[in-house]
Amino acid sequence: MGAAPPDTARAQIHASVAAVRRVLRAAGAAELLQTRPAGYVMALEPGQLDLEDFGDRLREADRADDPAHAAERIRQALSLWRGRPLADVKADYAAGARVRLQERRLTAYEHLADLELSLGRHEQLVDELSALVAAHPLRERLTGRLMLALHRAGRQADALAAARGLRRALAEQQGLDPGREFAALEQAVLRDDPALAARTHPAPRPGTGTGTGAGAGPGTGAGPGRGPGLGAAGGRRRRAARAGTGAAPAAAELPALRLARLLRARRRAGSAAGRTLR
């Protein structure tokens, strides 16, 4: 239970609502704020809420068969962002909502990076991903994509430096090591594994969803520090347990997320073949 409202609470609300009405009236949108028996409501038309527009464009990207078209839709969605979400809101709910919104944005960037990498646009991605990793140094999936873009751009040393940066940040801030998939990708970069090579033609769109933070695919509801997928320890263990030993598709046909699993599968298949020969 919170503190009892002051005697002037009703007058304060009326004054605030009147101020909002003046702003809306000046913008030619006075009808948006409507009075209801229980209080007030913003009656928005489709396309008037940027967050709704953001989600609509991500869903369009999910439905697109062409990865270039899907990437364009995600870029359009991300272009709607302006600074920190709910920056001027000081209500109790704002902090949690801000984290969820930031998670949706970063998940969209990770999905976009998968698409752009599958299209061979690794060099164009480097600067964009570098800035995102600098702002979110604990996010394994984001760093993994940066490493792959750098490696494909012929910058193996920089890719390994990015991996060391993540390891250092995780150790200092959380006392943790990266997950298995990230470590496998790091080792593949160190070996200059041919499986990391870029495609020469567009790859199929990764079958991932972009829901509201905790949706299927990239947005699996991980916290703001350790992102979903490569960043979620439980997910890492489950995916490692599911990694098969049978024939795997060509590495170039897979998005960045699956490369580490493919490398492990190949090693296991090789070991099995060696035992059979002996």
Side-chain angles (χ1 to χ4, degrees):
M1 298 295 291
D7 295 338
T8 59
R10 183 179 295 273
Q12 292 179 33
I13 292 174
H14 288 165
S16 298
V17 169
V20 172
R21 288 192 190 280
R22 284 195 297 272
V23 172
L24 292 174
R25 197 159 38 244
E31 72 283 355
L32 290 183
L33 183 58
Q34 299 180 5
T35 304
R36 295 285 189 269
Y40 303 92
V41 64
M42 294 290 286
L44 299 172
E45 296 294 329
Q48 288 184 314
L49 184 63
D50 55 0
L51 181 59
E52 185 177 280
D53 196 9
F54 175 77
D56 287 344
R57 297 188 192 201
L58 293 184
R59 284 185 285 274
E60 289 174 10
D62 276 346
R63 292 192 296 268
D65 294 324
D66 176 19
H69 179 70
E72 179 186 0
R73 284 289 178 266
I74 295 178
R75 287 205 176 276
Q76 290 174 357
L78 290 168
S79 71
L80 299 171
W81 285 74
R82 297 289 186 275
R84 193 173 66 135
L86 305 176
D88 300 326
V89 178
K90 303 205 172 31
D92 290 342
Y93 72 87
R98 192 176 293 119
V99 168
R100 290 189 294 273
L101 291 171
Q102 288 282 29
E103 177 63 25
R104 291 188 67 183
R105 174 176 174 264
L106 292 173
T107 293
Y109 266 117
E110 289 165 349
H111 188 184
L112 175 63
D114 279 338
L115 292 166
E116 298 282 30
L117 285 167
S118 76
L119 292 165
R121 298 172 181 171
H122 39 273
E123 292 190 5
Q124 298 93 318
L125 271 178
V126 168
D127 289 345
E128 187 174 19
L129 289 177
S130 294
L132 286 167
V133 167
H136 305 279
L138 301 179
R139 201 167 179 98
E140 293 183 32
R141 291 183 71 198
L142 211 51
T143 303
R145 284 155 177 75
L146 173 60
M147 290 169 59
L148 192 55
L150 287 166
H151 183 268
R152 289 180 176 179
R155 298 169 58 180
Q156 182 187 31
D158 291 333
L160 293 171
R164 289 194 298 272
L166 175 78
R167 285 185 175 278
R168 183 168 53 250
L170 281 175
E172 293 175 353
Q173 299 185 39
Q174 296 185 349
L176 297 173
D177 290 324
R180 293 178 181 176
E181 292 188 20
F182 184 91
L185 175 61
E186 183 181 16
Q187 288 299 311
V189 171
L190 185 62
R191 294 192 309 270
D192 195 17
D193 196 302
L196 299 182
R199 287 182 61 92
T200 57
H201 56 88
R205 181 180 64 84
T208 54
T210 50
T212 57
T220 53
R226 298 177 63 82
L230 283 174
R236 288 197 300 265
R237 288 192 293 269
R238 288 191 295 273
R239 282 192 294 276
R242 289 198 300 265
T245 58
E253 296 179 359
L254 297 174
L257 266 180
R258 302 178 187 173
L259 284 171
R261 186 184 304 168
L262 171 63
L263 294 170
R264 290 200 304 273
R266 283 183 172 175
R267 287 198 298 271
R268 291 171 182 168
S271 299
R275 288 194 299 271
T276 300
L277 289 174
R278 289 196 297 270

